[in-house]
Amino acid sequence: MRWLTDMIRSWLRPRPGAKAERVAAGHLRKEGYRILARNLSNAQGEIDLVAQAPDGRTIVIVEVKSRLPGTKESGPLPEVRVNVHKQRQLAALAMQMVRRYRLQDRPIRFDVIGVDLKEKGKPVVRHHVGAFESPW
């Protein structure tokens, strides 16, 4: 039964990605964005954050990538993991969201936020505005 207890504890343990998403949402709010949705998902995948830009019109699809405490800071930045496959997936999810919520008249932008989580001190946030264009 110990394996069951360990499994339940692992489910209850907060995901590092969830903390990075909270940090990213806080950063966006401070910059004047309005968070419209978190973890918007369907069978094809998930959009971490959907926000309205400070201009009041642009819908921003945000992918959040994090680096855990103790990870070498000289290594690649976590946001470089948003490869072409992930970009296509996010674009497809965004198209579904636009149709479902009738947002065809709104500009759509794709941002990536990298977050370095620290054991002590504030996380480091890198916001890449317009990180990629829709491949469609």
Side-chain angles (χ1 to χ4, degrees):
M1 287 304 267
R2 179 162 171 72
W3 65 269
L4 181 60
T5 305
D6 290 343
M7 188 167 57
I8 290 171
R9 281 191 186 136
S10 72
W11 289 340
L12 296 176
R13 192 172 305 128
R15 299 178 304 118
K19 181 173 183 179
E21 288 168 10
R22 282 194 306 277
V23 168
H27 167 79
L28 290 170
R29 278 195 292 280
K30 285 179 190 170
E31 297 295 317
Y33 291 77
R34 182 172 161 229
I35 304 302
L36 302 175
R38 293 175 186 232
N39 305 112
L40 191 62
S41 64
N42 65 23
Q44 282 74 45
E46 176 183 271
I47 298 172
D48 292 332
L49 298 170
V50 179
Q52 181 178 338
D55 67 10
R57 286 205 30 80
T58 304
I59 301 297
V60 184
I61 308 300
V62 182
E63 177 67 11
V64 180
K65 293 293 184 189
S66 62
R67 184 164 34 193
L68 299 173
T71 305
K72 278 189 171 182
E73 292 193 19
S74 62
L77 297 174
E79 52 269 34
V80 300
R81 295 191 317 259
V82 182
N83 57 26
V84 173
H85 173 74
K86 186 63 176 181
Q87 291 174 16
R88 286 185 179 145
Q89 180 186 36
L90 288 168
L93 290 166
M95 283 186 0
Q96 292 171 12
M97 181 193 73
V98 164
R99 274 186 250 136
R100 180 174 186 181
Y101 297 106
R102 297 187 175 128
L103 299 170
Q104 290 88 346
D105 63 331
R106 307 285 289 278
I108 304 294
R109 189 178 80 211
F110 296 91
D111 290 6
V112 176
I113 295 182
V115 179
D116 289 342
L117 299 171
K118 307 283 186 181
E119 290 200 28
K120 294 181 181 176
K122 288 185 173 186
V124 175
V125 177
R126 290 173 301 280
H127 183 182
H128 304 276
V129 176
F132 63 91
E133 298 286 324
S134 172
W136 308 116

